[in-house]
Amino acid sequence: MTKLLVLNGPNLNLLGTREPGQYGHETLKDVEEKCRQVAAQFDCEVECFQSNTEGHLIDAIHKAGVEFKNGECVGVVFNPGAYTHTSIALHDAIKGVDVPVIEVHISNVHARETFRHHSYISPVAAGTIIGMGTKGYPLAIKYLLED
Ligand code: DQA
């Protein structure tokens, strides 16, 4: 059975209660369950990990890189939260491994504050899904798993 990683960065553990006008009412658990259901249709397992710590996210990407090399992991669906706009270290981590990373943002960052318009992740991502709400996660999974 194949596997993919759904990786969420800082403050995404607060989904459901955090700025619902921006991010909706679903909790992270709801989103992760939806991801598992979609991936199961493709006989794929989902590993979910959320951290508020940059280094832990870097470690998770490195691990996915090793698993990709071993044929155990098909890709990463990654919402880096605010680290999107600040983290050269996450950019380098993705660049340093071969695993395809799909960058997901729940809100349309381009319609928000200018500091959210730049992403350090987009240049090293295989693709980006922005502003489609939590539907972006299953869409990214389908992209990774559909032939
Ligand atoms: C976000 C957008 C980021 O700008 C913000 O810092 C987040 C969430 C999104 O999913 O829309 O934490 O990545």
Side-chain angles (χ1 to χ4, degrees), residues 10 12 18 23 79 81-82 84-85 104-107 109 112 116:
L12 289 155
R18 170 195 184 199
Y23 302 115
N79 185 343
T84 306
H85 320 296
V104 170
H105 296 288
I106 298 166
S107 65
V109 286
R112 299 180 63 190
R116 293 184 205 276

Side-chain angles (χ1 to χ4, degrees), residues 1-8 28-49 63 67 72-77 137-138 140-142 144-145:
M1 200 189 235
T2 52
K3 185 179 92 173
L4 61 80
L5 174 65
V6 173
L7 185 59
N8 278 287
L28 183 58
K29 227 175 150 197
D30 295 334
V31 173
E32 290 174 345
E33 184 46 38
K34 217 194 251 175
C35 289
R36 288 200 172 92
Q37 281 173 15
V38 173
Q41 293 167 17
F42 297 87
D43 239 353
C44 178
E45 229 171 66
V46 173
E47 185 181 321
C48 297
F49 182 66
K63 183 170 162 270
E67 290 171 350
E72 296 159 7
C73 174
V74 294
V76 181
V77 174
Y137 291 86
I141 289 174
K142 281 186 185 162
L144 284 170
L145 295 177

